[in-house]
Amino acid sequence: MVHRNFLAVSGLALMTAVPAFAEDTFKFAMIDPFSGPAAMVTERIENVLRYSVDEVNAAGGINGQQIEILTFDNKMSPQETAIQAEKAIDAGARILQTSVSSGNTFALVDFVKKYNRRNPDNKVIVFDGASHDPAITGEKCSYYSFSWVLNSEMKTKGLATYLATRDDITKVFLLNAEGSSGLTTRDLVKEMVGEARPDIEWVGDDIHPLQKVTDFAPYIAKIRASGADAVITSDWGADIALVLKAAGEGGLDIPWFTYFTTGPGAPTAIAQAGLDGLVYSAFDGDAGIVSDELKAFEMAYREVTQQSASAFPGDTSAIRGLVAAAAAAGSNDADALVAALEGISLTTVYGAEAEMRPDDHQILAPMAISRLVSVPPTGLDEEGTGWGWENVALIPADQVTLPSTCAMDRP
Amino acid sequence: MGIDVLSFSILNGILYGMLLFLLASGLTLIFSMMGVLNFAHASFFMVGAYFGYALSGRIGFFPALIVAPVLVGGIGALVERYGLRRVHKFGHIGELLFTFGVAFVIEEAIQMVWGRSPQNFEVPAALDFTAFTLFGTGYPAFRVFMLVVSLLIFGGLALLLTRTRVGLVVKASLTHPEMVSMLGHNVPLVFMAVFGVGSALAGIAGVIAGPLLVTQPSMAAAIGPILFVIVVVGGLGSLSGAFIASLLVGFIQTFAVAINTSVADVFGLFGIDTAPTFLGPLFTDIWSVNVAQIGPVVPYLLLVLILLFKPSGLIGKRA
């Protein structure tokens, strides 16, 4: 498989070997897997980012400069992320954004820490668009990096707050993939949901291999045998799609509390499985939130891309934050921007007020618990399935905010 | 393990095993007849799923189940005629690398045509009901349909190869190509047909697995490795071996999930409850790993063991 990826990427590298960069633009580099299985996520993120940037450019850009997006393929590897970051900086990028995996984000944050120390006259900024790992604004936090989505710890806190209102759920099955993201979330769920709902009994706690299982039917049988009345899972990508399809096939009709069902493929799988109203998403937000502003944005966005923008809130927030900071700083210089970004207020794509916390550069915003239901033809559906999100609870920002654990090294 | 869990696991194991067999049958057919280990096989499976998806929207699922494999078989035949046949003279390494390249080309082509997002390939309405209910779990008719198709293919292939003239010519073409050629048979055409039929079988598996799994560009890479396990464990080139190995892998994976026993539990039987710390942190980690967690890796362990102790596989003739 390694060889296959290598071939894929060298082909792409050849195609992009002679880039033409405009001289007088503000360059924003997107360093993400543009090849391989994760490329479908990158594709969605790129669309949201480009749409947001086009809006800004049409309104005159930031301090008179147009924003230009440059894309770099990190092949889903931390080493390659650092190499591509170097290339991006050579191409003139001022902001480097990575979204898809926390391993890549760590690599980028580390690279930029070193780079900024060595090049004090040409500093760059890191944006974390969607990696969800609390360590990015915790132990790995940096003065030059900003996280634009709620991390998994905050999301779990929000989920625990919601589950405190669901007395009907008393037996929960935990299903997670191996790997740091799955295991961390599982521990967080046990701790936070356990604290909010001490009466909940964990009737199962399974760890399965990451993105390797093709048949989840045995897991469904196990969940049924455990007598669970709900499942909490941090599965994503093909895993969540397959497990929900297996649940639909097996006729397991208990609610699923998930973190990553707004992303590509999951709504399609839920609709196919016929799990109407059974799959809950604990996320920054979704198209089901009742807001005229969100609806207008979604309609306009769908007109252009035929996709939903709400699954990737980090990119709209990042661009809105950047625009506000550039206006406040009156300059596009990195140090001026960082200073202005600290504490900047913005309105998220969901129409909620959000703030970039100066202590650890973590965005603070409300979150939503929603479930996927079949919607009338006039409603906002996902992936052309005729099914869309229905919001069941909005968790205010102060309920998901956790104390900062960052010991920031400020210049 | 209760009787309900046991029966679920047996049923799930058979159903999953048969899906694997649908795929492995084409792979092992090509290998047994042509000696080519086709790395692009899982890619033909994916093409089948996408063709099935595209066609079922226009002509319905059941016509698509016929037409899509025919198209995939046609592509397979073309690949053999204009690619593999030329590479053949450079030996097996050349062929192996060629199919490896083809797999990659197919994956990129699929992404160019259908994009990277999963397609909404749905179970046909005619088969979208519960076939039977066992201990409260419904079994979907579509899976039963898959089981029936797999069995038909196994039976049909076995009959074709052992009981008909066509099978005779095909087998003779592999071992004595010149003799067969002198008897007036077109040997290159036979090879092309075998490759085409093998690819078409992968196409059938694709059309059936498309609605069951997720029709997306990574589906080939996800299922590819386990196919090689089945073909090697069953014995390279053996149809019955592939059948047994498919069921074996299906059972291993489903039963493993149902078992929660860990190293700690085994020692617990002897009254040892805590992990001995003097063996280091690695051992403490292994201590708490249960069978369910390592289940999906067991088939690969089996692959390694088979290669070490019985390289010809369970039923294979070829070493």
Side-chain angles (χ1 to χ4, degrees), chain B residues 73-91:
Chain B
I75 294 175
L78 289 177
V79 166
E80 199 282 334
R81 174 67 185 81
Y82 295 102
L84 212 51
R85 196 176 297 181
R86 285 163 190 255
V87 184
H88 186 66
K89 55 178 170 285
F90 304 119

Side-chain angles (χ1 to χ4, degrees), chain A residues 172-380:
Chain A
V172 176
F173 195 102
L174 296 171
L175 184 67
N176 293 286
E178 62 188 14
S180 85
S181 158
L183 295 178
T184 314
T185 313
R186 157 184 169 252
D187 293 344
L188 284 171
V189 167
K190 278 187 161 174
E191 182 195 322
M192 292 176 162
V193 177
E195 196 184 299
R197 285 288 307 281
D199 58 318
I200 282 184
E201 183 192 345
W202 307 112
V203 292
D205 181 5
D206 263 27
I207 306 293
H208 64 78
L210 182 65
Q211 314 283 359
K212 280 198 182 61
V213 182
T214 42
D215 184 31
F216 275 95
Y219 291 94
I220 299 302
K222 198 171 178 181
I223 293 170
R224 181 192 304 278
S226 76
D229 51 23
V231 183
I232 301 180
T233 176
S234 64
D235 280 0
W236 52 276
D239 282 344
I240 189 74
L242 288 170
V243 75
L244 291 175
K245 282 184 97 164
E249 270 193 345
L252 182 71
D253 53 356
I254 58 174
W256 289 74
F257 293 92
T258 67
Y259 292 82
F260 301 111
T261 39
T262 51
T268 304
I270 298 167
Q272 284 179 351
L275 298 171
D276 200 345
L278 287 176
V279 181
Y280 290 75
S281 150
F283 201 64
D284 300 56
D286 48 72
I289 294 173
V290 183
S291 149
D292 293 339
E293 203 180 338
L294 171 67
K295 187 152 191 188
F297 185 90
E298 277 286 344
M299 298 288 255
Y301 181 79
R302 283 163 194 232
E303 197 70 30
V304 182
T305 62
Q306 277 76 50
Q307 289 165 335
S308 143
S310 334
F312 299 97
D315 306 280
T316 39
S317 293
I319 296 300
R320 288 174 187 191
L322 174 65
V323 169
S331 151
N332 291 347
D333 171 67
D335 275 314
L337 281 178
V338 171
L341 279 166
E342 288 202 321
I344 199 81
S345 303
L346 61 114
T347 309
T348 66
V349 68
Y350 314 116
E353 292 307 312
E355 188 203 342
M356 178 52 72
R357 178 159 66 183
D359 310 342
D360 59 353
H361 296 182
Q362 165 66 50
I363 196 170
L364 304 181
M367 70 174 268
I369 307 285
S370 296
R371 54 183 188 169
L372 199 71
V373 295
S374 55
V375 292
T378 49
L380 290 172

Side-chain angles (χ1 to χ4, degrees), chain A residues 58 62 91 94 104 109 113 140 219 224 250 269 279 337 364 389:
Chain A
I62 51 171
R94 315 301 319 138
N104 299 338
V109 170
K113 266 184 198 164
K140 286 273 180 187
Y219 291 94
R224 181 192 304 278
V279 181
L337 281 178
L364 304 181
W389 294 105

Side-chain angles (χ1 to χ4, degrees), chain B residues 135-220:
Chain B
F135 299 111
T137 300
Y139 274 87
F142 194 71
R143 286 206 177 218
V144 177
F145 172 72
M146 183 185 84
L147 184 74
V148 172
V149 173
S150 309
L151 285 172
L152 285 178
I153 285 179
F154 175 64
L157 274 182
L159 282 179
L160 184 77
L161 291 177
T162 56
R163 296 278 178 273
T164 67
R165 235 182 110 71
V166 177
L168 213 62
V169 173
V170 165
K171 281 206 271 191
S173 300
L174 180 68
T175 47
H176 303 87
E178 280 165 14
M179 180 61 85
V180 174
S181 177
M182 279 170 194
L183 288 170
H185 295 286
N186 186 347
V187 173
L189 184 72
V190 171
F191 279 3
M192 189 172 97
V194 168
F195 201 88
V197 169
S199 309
L201 286 174
I204 295 178
V207 181
I208 293 180
L212 210 60
L213 306 176
V214 182
T215 307
Q216 59 184 3
S218 60
M219 68 191 293

